[in-house]
Each structure stands twice: as structure tokens, then as C-alpha cells.
Amino acid sequence: MGTVRLEGASFYAYHGVYPEEKVLGNQFLVDIELTYSFRKAMEEDALEGTVDYGELYAITSKHMQTPVKLLEHLAHLIIEETLQMYPESQRIAVTIKKQQPAVGGLVAYSSVTVNYPEDYD
């Protein structure tokens, strides 16, 4: 097993519970980490034996464009579609950071991490 990561994918999106978040939007950063057997890729130098970063980005981008209330739900949607594309994944972690969240003070970002399978028990 090895680990494949896509880190710091940046999106401007409209996720949040509060009405102003749905109007003003915010900058989000997404990290995805998969534990996956990429032995075939190591031995055969073939993209079919590993996780395609472009596919991970496309999955994430699609879900970032559809507003949801909670980052936990958004991470879950990304994990579910990633599992459909890469069912052999042993573990998937999705971290979503909302930059400068509206919390009444100066904060760099808030974040949520959802882990598969740990958070799916």
C-alpha cells in the first residue's frame, strides 16, 4: 500500500450555514489522501495502476460547485464519489479548509477532516 495525495486544491465556493456565506462565498482549500495499492504503477509505469490526480481534482471541483451547509457533508460527498472511482482504496481522508470564516474575529481558517473508513462505523 502507498499513499497518493492532492494537497491545497483551491476553490472559491458558496458553502455554509449562514445566508451571507451563500451570497458572498469564500476561499476553500481541499486536501485528499488515499491509501491505495499502486504496485502495478510501480512495476508497469502505467497510469491505470494508480490514482489519477486529474480525476481527484475533477471530483472535488464538481462538488465544490454545488453549495452545501456543512463541510462534513461536502467531504462525505467527495469520499463517496472517490470510492466509486477507486473502490480498492483502503483509506481516504478529505480535509476542507474555509479561509477566514465568519466567527467574529480574525481566524486564518476553519477545517474539517473526514476519514474513510474510520468515520463510517
Side-chain angles (χ1 to χ4, degrees):
M1 290 294 141
T3 302
V4 175
R5 291 181 185 89
L6 184 66
E7 298 185 46
S10 182
F11 302 92
Y12 198 87
Y14 298 87
H15 306 296
V17 172
Y18 303 109
E20 60 270 16
E21 293 176 299
K22 296 179 184 314
V23 173
L24 299 174
N26 207 332
Q27 192 70 36
F28 294 83
L29 297 173
V30 181
D31 300 335
I32 303 173
E33 179 179 304
L34 281 82
T35 301
Y36 191 88
S37 176
F38 45 74
R39 182 176 208 92
K40 182 177 180 179
M42 293 184 323
E43 293 172 352
E44 298 177 13
D45 195 25
L47 183 58
E48 297 78 27
T50 191
V51 175
D52 182 338
Y53 304 128
E55 292 290 343
L56 287 181
Y57 185 86
I59 290 168
T60 303
S61 179
K62 176 179 124 181
H63 290 290
M64 292 303 292
Q65 294 174 29
T66 304
V68 299
K69 294 177 188 171
L70 301 176
L71 299 182
E72 293 88 342
H73 181 66
L74 181 58
H76 166 72
L77 294 173
I78 293 168
I79 287 171
E80 288 297 309
E81 189 163 344
T82 301
L83 277 171
Q84 288 175 8
M85 179 143 310
Y86 299 104
E88 304 86 9
S89 298
Q90 297 296 308
R91 182 176 180 279
I92 302 172
V94 174
T95 299
I96 303 173
K97 299 175 183 177
K98 180 188 285 190
Q99 295 185 330
Q100 299 177 352
V103 295
L106 184 59
V107 176
Y109 61 85
S110 59
S111 71
V112 168
T113 300
V114 176
N115 295 289
Y116 168 86
E118 297 92 336
D119 294 330
Y120 286 73
D121 292 339

